[in-house]
Amino acid sequence: MQISSVRTLASLVLLAILTVACTPTQPVSVTQHNRINSLAVAGSTVAIASSDPSLRTADFNRILAQRLRTAGFSVTDDASTARFIASMTAEVQEGIEREHVVRTPEYFVRRRLVTLQNGDQFVDRERIYLGDRVDRFRYTLWPAIVSLTLTERETGNPVFEGEVTTQGSCGQMVALIGPMLDALFRNLRTESGTVSSFYVEVPTC
């Protein structure tokens, strides 16, 4: 097989490996400050504040409402009677270009026929180092952040402040918002001032 064919085959194999390795998960970091443990919030009403009439925001708020109900809150559209007001922001920031460099040594095998004194012959093979082939694979990492604040309506004091950050191959908030909120609500009553890191699945990105 010629060296050029070997190069092509090796590049295809490497690309296949990288594709398989790209599992639909991303690392997230969750930071939260809360005093929910000191409040009787089970069944408490919460209204989601929104000044953006876009369909995108409406979809994100619907996803947030689902997580709030799962956490034991009662979601209402009447902000004037709700005990808590929920405010959320979600943003995918500008992509960061990265490059993965793979160096593969290349050799040339030189063969020569050697004749011994007794007349026997054999083929001697010598592997000669030619240098490294350098393959460069460019990719983009997308930083994303979701922040959530729960405020007590009557006092205006925050009872929960949470932030989820991630940086991975998915740059679509419509795919990230659900998994990132799941990470935020994973340990809603964790001790205040804690930071947690783990992976979430992002199967739709």
Side-chain angles (χ1 to χ4, degrees), residues 106-120:
E106 290 188 327
Y107 299 89
F108 172 75
V109 179
R110 182 170 61 189
R111 297 175 176 83
R112 62 190 181 94
L113 185 65
V114 178
T115 302
L116 301 178
Q117 291 182 350
N118 62 3
D120 292 341

Side-chain angles (χ1 to χ4, degrees), residues 41 43-50 61-62 64-70 72-87 150-151 153:
V41 297
S44 295
T45 54
V46 57
I48 300 174
S50 179
N61 286 342
R62 176 179 51 80
L64 172 59
Q66 292 173 348
R67 273 53 178 189
L68 286 168
R69 292 189 184 97
T70 301
F73 292 92
S74 177
V75 180
T76 177
D77 294 329
D78 188 358
S80 64
T81 59
R83 180 176 182 185
F84 301 108
I85 304 297
S87 302
L150 293 180
T151 304
R153 181 184 56 82

Side-chain angles (χ1 to χ4, degrees), residues 107-161:
Y107 299 89
F108 172 75
V109 179
R110 182 170 61 189
R111 297 175 176 83
R112 62 190 181 94
L113 185 65
V114 178
T115 302
L116 301 178
Q117 291 182 350
N118 62 3
D120 292 341
Q121 293 182 323
F122 69 95
V123 176
D124 178 62
R125 294 176 174 82
E126 180 183 6
R127 194 169 70 158
I128 301 173
Y129 173 65
L130 299 177
D132 287 348
R133 184 187 74 250
V134 179
D135 294 302
R136 301 179 183 275
F137 301 91
R138 296 186 178 276
Y139 60 98
T140 304
L141 292 178
W142 300 93
I145 180 171
V146 172
S147 299
L148 175 66
T149 301
L150 293 180
T151 304
E152 206 164 17
R153 181 184 56 82
E154 291 185 353
T155 65
N157 295 325
V159 297
F160 178 86
E161 295 173 344

Side-chain angles (χ1 to χ4, degrees), residues 1-10:
M1 183 180 290
Q2 297 181 352
I3 291 179
S4 60
S5 299
V6 173
R7 288 178 178 176
T8 302
L9 178 60

Side-chain angles (χ1 to χ4, degrees), residues 22-26 60 63 67 169-180 182 200-205:
C22 292
T23 54
T25 62
Q26 285 197 191
F60 289 175
I63 296 172
R67 273 53 178 189
S169 60
C170 183
Q172 303 175 29
M173 182 52 73
V174 67
L176 291 170
I177 186 71
M180 292 181 75
D182 287 339
V200 296
E201 293 186 358
V202 189
T204 59
C205 192

